[in-house]
Amino acid sequence: MSKLRFTISMSLDGFVAGPSQSVENPLGIGGERLHEWVVPLAVWRAPHGLKGGEVNESTQVVEEALANIGATVMGRNMFGGHPGPWDAGKPWNGWWGANPPFHHPVFVLTHHAREALKLEGGTTFTFVTDGIEAALGAARRAAGGKDVSLAGGANAARQYLAAGLVDEMEINLAPTLLGSGERLFDGLGDDLHGLELVRTIAAPKVTHLKFARR
Amino acid sequence: MSKLRFTISMSLDGFVAGPSQSVENPLGIGGERLHEWVVPLAVWRAPHGLKGGEVNESTQVVEEALANIGATVMGRNMFGGHPGPWDAGKPWNGWWGANPPFHHPVFVLTHHAREALKLEGGTTFTFVTDGIEAALGAARRAAGGKDVSLAGGANAARQYLAAGLVDEMEINLAPTLLGSGERLFDGLGDDLHGLELVRTIAAPKVTHLKFARR
């Protein structure tokens, strides 16, 4: 069966976003420091239309995260916009513009029903109101035998982790402190639900910790 | 000048001890899971009088932590016993018995004055009531040109980190969650005070993250 795979950057003190997340600053204060390791990489620059860039130990991790993904699930906070019902007049259509980088079906967890949103380049956002298992089931069916990516945010990730539904988790540990913000593991207790460390890759500015079921 | 060096095991969610620490359970509930990586090692067993054991990627990290140390500083919580004034009749003499494993001068931070305690094997505990800088200065003088080890606990470590006095920090990251307990970096804000990741060593059950000043 296709796997549910999750990749996230986290600070040494456990934060995946800084404080005061907003539409203007979706990563929160200081949150961009979690991603400093990836921005210089050629493998990150190319899909953003930028030439050149570095190749290092992180390259294979980024390539792996992007490979063999047929669909994505994400939480409402990751899709963005203010919480609550969608604006009828001009609804929020995500952070990613007219041609989002997914190029496959994306399933958004929400409490507020909404028609599917078909954008350029093969990305369709489908809004799922009946829970994480329904969203994952729909994503698996849409993935056509490939894996499903869990794109976050932290709240949605915690729900899938707590339900034992995550098959692979890659933590990109940034050697920095944020001090406050949103913690990935808050409320998960002391249980990784069967996930074990299976691979560690050391890069200059990040440590990649891959967890999977043995 | 001799360096102040600090080594600690931490969970993926940032805890260095589990909840409900006590004299009976100094690591707190689940805290022993932070140390599962070290107990099977020959380099850990030998000083505890045990033969055999494993040699793996962690061995050099443990050897390095023990090498070239001339004195130790620690907090009152690490030295142990209940908080507050020392019992006049039968004061707490530490966790380590008649012949502690330090074999050098140890300086204990406390608010409660007490005569120095000389035990077997070269370990003397000196109780310092005038703060972390005084304790470090005394330890440096006693170290005879060697480095000083910061033995914890978390509260004392945080004070030295916040004051920018730690020269090297080795985080042994255990790939497990504790969910609650004592966090190493709580209250430190977003500042590692000049410490940067300088080395990552991947072992089967732990990832060693070494920080130092560049």
Side-chain angles (χ1 to χ4, degrees):
Chain A
M1 193 164 70
S2 76
K3 292 177 179 172
L4 180 61
R5 291 158 44 191
F6 173 50
T7 297
I8 197 161
S9 293
M10 185 176 87
S11 68
L12 188 62
D13 51 348
F15 294 101
V16 293
S20 305
Q21 286 176 274
S22 65
V23 171
E24 291 74 29
N25 192 4
L27 302 174
I29 295 169
E32 70 283 354
R33 285 160 49 208
L34 302 176
H35 304 276
E36 282 177 357
W37 64 274
V38 75
V39 176
L41 296 179
V43 70
W44 186 89
R45 292 171 57 88
H48 291 79
L50 302 168
K51 293 186 179 175
E54 298 174 17
V55 175
N56 66 24
E57 295 85 347
S58 297
T59 299
Q60 74 165 102
V61 178
V62 176
E63 288 174 340
E64 193 178 284
L66 299 171
N68 197 43
I69 297 295
T72 290
V73 291
M74 66 172 61
R76 164 70 186 270
N77 190 47
M78 181 74 184
F79 184 72
H82 62 76
W86 307 100
D87 288 330
K90 192 177 181 247
W92 173 263
N93 286 346
W95 305 103
W96 303 278
N99 187 353
F102 302 99
H103 310 299
H104 58 225
V106 179
F107 296 84
V108 181
L109 296 161
T110 173
H111 295 293
H112 304 281
R114 177 174 169 182
E115 290 292 307
L117 174 67
K118 186 170 182 174
L119 296 178
E120 297 170 21
T123 299
T124 300
F125 292 102
T126 301
F127 300 89
V128 180
T129 56
D130 48 354
I132 62 169
E133 298 200 29
L136 177 57
R140 282 209 164 105
R141 288 188 293 278
K146 292 185 175 179
D147 291 339
V148 174
S149 168
L150 170 56
N155 186 289
R158 276 193 296 267
Q159 292 183 52
Y160 279 106
L161 285 167
L165 292 170
V166 175
D167 298 297
E168 291 185 6
M169 173 173 73
E170 185 89 54
I171 305 280
N172 307 306
L173 192 75
T176 188
L177 302 182
L178 287 186
S180 60
E182 186 161 25
R183 281 201 162 99
L184 176 59
F185 294 115
D186 252 6
L188 261 188
D190 64 353
D191 191 350
L192 275 173
H193 294 273
L195 294 174
E196 297 179 28
L197 182 67
V198 296
R199 185 186 70 186
T200 303
I201 293 179
K205 292 179 178 172
V206 66
T207 305
H208 303 285
L209 303 168
K210 182 176 180 177
F211 293 76
R213 307 182 182 286
R214 282 200 195 270
Chain B
M1 192 166 72
S2 75
K3 292 178 180 172
L4 180 62
R5 291 159 44 192
F6 173 50
T7 298
I8 198 161
S9 294
M10 186 176 87
S11 67
L12 188 62
D13 50 349
F15 294 100
V16 293
S20 305
Q21 286 176 274
S22 65
V23 171
E24 292 74 29
N25 192 3
L27 302 174
I29 295 169
E32 71 284 353
R33 285 160 51 207
L34 302 176
H35 305 274
E36 282 177 357
W37 64 274
V38 75
V39 175
L41 297 179
V43 71
W44 185 89
R45 292 170 57 88
H48 291 80
L50 302 167
K51 292 187 179 176
E54 298 174 17
V55 175
N56 66 25
E57 296 85 346
S58 297
T59 299
Q60 73 165 101
V61 178
V62 176
E63 288 173 341
E64 193 177 285
L66 299 171
N68 196 43
I69 297 295
T72 290
V73 291
M74 66 172 62
R76 165 71 186 270
N77 191 47
M78 182 73 184
F79 184 71
H82 62 76
W86 306 100
D87 290 330
K90 193 178 181 245
W92 173 265
N93 286 347
W95 305 102
W96 302 277
N99 187 352
F102 301 99
H103 311 299
H104 58 224
V106 179
F107 296 85
V108 181
L109 296 161
T110 173
H111 295 294
H112 304 281
R114 177 174 169 183
E115 290 292 308
L117 175 67
K118 186 171 182 174
L119 296 179
E120 297 170 22
T123 299
T124 300
F125 292 103
T126 301
F127 300 89
V128 180
T129 56
D130 46 356
I132 63 169
E133 298 200 31
L136 177 57
R140 282 209 164 104
R141 287 189 293 276
K146 292 185 176 181
D147 291 339
V148 175
S149 169
L150 171 56
N155 186 290
R158 275 193 295 268
Q159 292 183 51
Y160 280 105
L161 285 167
L165 293 170
V166 175
D167 298 297
E168 292 184 7
M169 174 174 73
E170 185 90 52
I171 305 280
N172 307 307
L173 192 75
T176 187
L177 301 183
L178 286 187
S180 60
E182 185 160 24
R183 281 200 162 100
L184 177 57
F185 294 114
D186 252 6
L188 261 188
D190 62 355
D191 191 350
L192 275 174
H193 294 273
L195 294 174
E196 296 179 27
L197 183 67
V198 295
R199 186 187 68 187
T200 303
I201 293 179
K205 292 179 177 173
V206 67
T207 304
H208 304 286
L209 302 167
K210 182 177 179 178
F211 293 77
R213 307 182 181 286
R214 284 200 194 268

